[in-house]
Amino acid sequence: MTQVTHRELLPGVRLTAVQTNKFKSNLLSVTLMAPLDAKTASANALLPYVLRRGTREHPDMESLSAALDELYGGSIEPAVRKKGEAQGIGFVGSFLDDAYALDDAHILEQAASLMGEVLLRPATENGGFKKEYVEGERSNLVDRIQAQVNEKRSYSLLRLTQEMCAGEPYGVDRLGDEKSAAAITAEGLWERYQALLAHAPVELYYCGSADADRVAAALTAALDGLPRAGELEEPDHSVQDNATQDQPRLVTESLDVTQGKLALGFRTGGACVWEEDYPALLVFNALYGGTPTSKLFLNVREKLSLCYFASSMLEKFKGVMVVSSGIEFGNYEKAKAEILAQLDNCRTGAFEDWELEGARRAVVSALRATMDAQGRLEDYWMGQAVAGLEESPQDLVDRVEAVTREQVVAVAKKMELDTIYFLKGKED
């Protein structure tokens, strides 16, 4: 039996506790939520990596790792996430569930305390972060940003997002940009850290066998001393219903590649996680391009061989759907036309009952798999917390099961092509 509870522990500090005996480990996370902003994204992204380098009590990674080893080999890892127009920065920890520990050890309290220590009591020098730690992790962050171009499929989606949502917070990458990252100083990062502690909403998550009251007590004690000053800066989520221009915008880029990447960005007409038609949106996406039995995969890739890969993905907090495909340079027009033709088939209801049912089963299967994987379950509930929703995966499954053909067609008709990004090879 799984029981989910939500409560506010401190001002702006919310806990989602999932009590279950399904897992042998506990998953514990703390996430500071900030509005996604080009001015602060890189500093925010750097912060958890610097904090993870050492604390006041465990001033380096060696001593911190030793403390984790004492907790039956627990882990605390930095996490930087983008949920719509919110940036989540913090830590995800995994620890042995007390039920499996020796000598009735209370691992939960020790794990929560160590998580609070990493967040609130960093190793410092001269009243701020250690410059050595900041400079080392800053270099790593710049490397990660630069390395994004190496994976061309994800790079094409990054560039599509930047172009399609230029001027919107969603156009900012979760890691920020190279120039901003390279300019971060220890002093500036310390100021950003203090601002986040004072003003950022904090989302806490626990999944394990402990009851919610015990979890709440452990985390409240762990976060004792969290400074709060003035109003919280709650991230604002805006959904752009329709394309921003009368005609789709084409952005072309040339790099030294042998395979073209064609990415199409659609506005969903307002369909998103907050709307009644969200379950239909999920089924439509699975039918169109979200599964190996989708229109894009079976027709554009398999039947017509116009793409090496072709799939669609949703950003449920932003009302955006993107299609990602790999093509021969010369197949640009044919591939684009067929990708749009398959969307038209969804709009006119030109799909078989087995296709619809296959899409539905794929969505239901993915949601049920989420319930069986602690990391995915944490990410699901983190997203729900960001959205201000409390619908469980099972409740969403029930709604998906009730989606009709007519509802899928109605959602498909809302899709509006906004931006096309084409990555091609360098011309001779």
Side-chain angles (χ1 to χ4, degrees):
M1 182 68 181
T2 298
Q3 186 173 3
V4 182
T5 57
H6 309 274
R7 67 176 77 182
E8 186 168 32
L9 300 187
L10 301 163
V13 180
R14 297 181 287 256
L15 167 65
T16 297
V18 179
Q19 186 181 12
T20 177
N21 293 313
K22 186 181 292 186
F23 308 104
K24 292 185 177 179
S25 60
N26 288 344
L27 194 146
L28 192 63
S29 73
V30 54
T31 307
L32 281 66
M33 304 306 304
L36 198 55
D37 189 319
K39 297 176 183 175
T40 56
S42 290
N44 290 347
L46 179 60
L47 187 57
Y49 289 91
V50 172
L51 292 173
R52 180 61 178 77
R53 288 291 293 268
T55 70
R56 193 182 308 161
E57 293 87 343
H58 302 92
D60 52 40
M61 293 185 79
E62 185 179 358
S63 58
L64 192 52
S65 294
L68 288 165
D69 286 342
E70 290 179 10
L71 297 179
Y72 293 86
S75 66
I76 295 177
E77 297 300 330
V80 181
R81 290 178 273 191
K82 176 177 173 177
K83 299 288 185 185
E85 296 187 332
Q87 186 184 23
I89 56 265
F91 305 94
V92 176
S94 181
F95 304 91
L96 186 70
D97 193 284
D98 285 357
Y100 299 92
L102 302 174
D103 303 323
D104 298 321
H106 286 208
I107 299 176
L108 168 60
E109 285 75 10
Q110 297 177 65
S113 177
L114 190 57
M115 189 84 86
E117 178 186 320
V118 171
L119 178 66
L120 298 177
R121 299 194 295 279
T124 59
E125 63 182 12
N126 303 321
F129 287 125
K130 289 191 172 185
K131 285 190 176 182
E132 176 192 351
Y133 290 174
V134 173
E135 289 170 0
E137 295 303 330
R138 180 183 64 201
S139 177
N140 292 338
L141 176 61
V142 170
D143 287 346
R144 284 196 296 276
I145 294 172
Q146 290 176 337
Q148 288 176 314
V149 72
N150 296 334
E151 217 310 301
K152 299 300 187 293
R153 184 172 184 173
S154 56
Y155 174 74
S156 65
L157 292 176
L158 170 65
R159 290 289 297 116
L160 171 69
T161 301
Q162 290 173 335
E163 294 289 343
M164 179 175 169
C165 300
E168 300 173 61
Y170 186 67
V172 178
D173 182 52
R174 70 182 181 91
L175 299 180
D177 63 89
E178 183 181 344
K179 183 178 178 182
S180 298
I184 296 171
T185 63
E187 295 77 14
L189 188 64
W190 183 259
E191 288 180 14
R192 184 62 196 147
Y193 170 57
Q194 298 301 322
L196 282 169
L197 292 182
H199 301 292
V202 180
E203 296 293 346
L204 302 172
Y205 175 88
Y206 168 81
C207 179
S209 66
D211 67 74
D213 288 341
R214 181 184 164 200
V215 175
L219 286 168
T220 300
L223 295 181
D224 182 42
L226 175 69
R228 285 308 207 202
E231 300 218 354
L232 295 176
E233 294 180 355
E234 294 275 0
D236 185 30
H237 298 276
S238 67
V239 175
Q240 171 77 36
D241 290 356
N242 306 111
T244 52
Q245 302 179 65
D246 292 338
Q247 294 295 321
R249 192 158 60 97
L250 172 62
V251 178
T252 302
E253 189 172 352
S254 297
L255 290 175
D256 188 12
V257 293
T258 56
Q259 183 188 112
K261 298 293 183 290
L262 173 60
L264 286 74
F266 298 83
R267 305 284 182 170
T268 65
C272 60
V273 71
W274 294 282
E275 301 301 320
E276 282 296 315
D277 58 3
Y278 176 58
L281 179 67
L282 291 175
V283 176
F284 155 70
N285 178 65
L287 172 73
Y288 177 51
T291 70
T293 59
S294 66
K295 291 282 191 187
L296 293 184
F297 189 91
L298 292 181
N299 293 282
V300 186
R301 182 187 185 277
E302 295 293 293
K303 185 178 178 181
L304 299 174
S305 299
L306 288 172
C307 299
Y308 297 104
F309 62 85
S311 62
S312 63
M313 291 160 284
L314 292 172
E315 171 43 79
K316 63 183 182 181
F317 303 107
K318 183 58 182 170
V320 165
M321 179 182 74
V322 296
V323 170
S324 172
S325 66
I327 64 173
E328 294 286 350
F329 303 134
N331 280 343
Y332 167 78
E333 290 293 348
K334 286 182 182 178
K336 182 183 73 169
E338 192 57 34
I339 287 169
L340 296 176
Q342 294 305 324
L343 176 57
D344 284 339
N345 285 338
C346 296
R347 286 171 169 151
T348 59
F351 49 86
E352 302 296 330
D353 288 343
W354 68 263
E355 292 179 276
L356 176 61
E357 198 53 34
R360 187 198 315 280
R361 296 270 64 81
V363 174
V364 168
S365 177
L367 286 167
R368 287 185 173 148
T370 292
M371 292 184 264
D372 292 330
Q374 278 190 307
R376 290 174 63 174
L377 196 58
E378 187 269 346
D379 194 63
Y380 174 88
W381 281 114
M382 184 59 58
Q384 294 297 85
V386 169
L389 301 172
E390 295 186 3
E391 183 176 42
S392 70
Q394 183 57 55
D395 291 338
L396 184 52
V397 164
D398 295 341
R399 287 209 290 156
V400 168
E401 294 280 20
V403 168
T404 66
R405 168 183 285 267
E406 290 73 24
Q407 289 172 325
V408 171
V409 169
V411 165
K413 287 180 177 177
K414 286 185 174 184
M415 299 297 139
E416 195 171 336
L417 182 58
D418 185 297
T419 303
I420 302 166
Y421 173 83
F422 182 38
L423 176 63
K424 61 180 183 178
K426 290 185 176 180
E427 297 175 358
D428 295 332

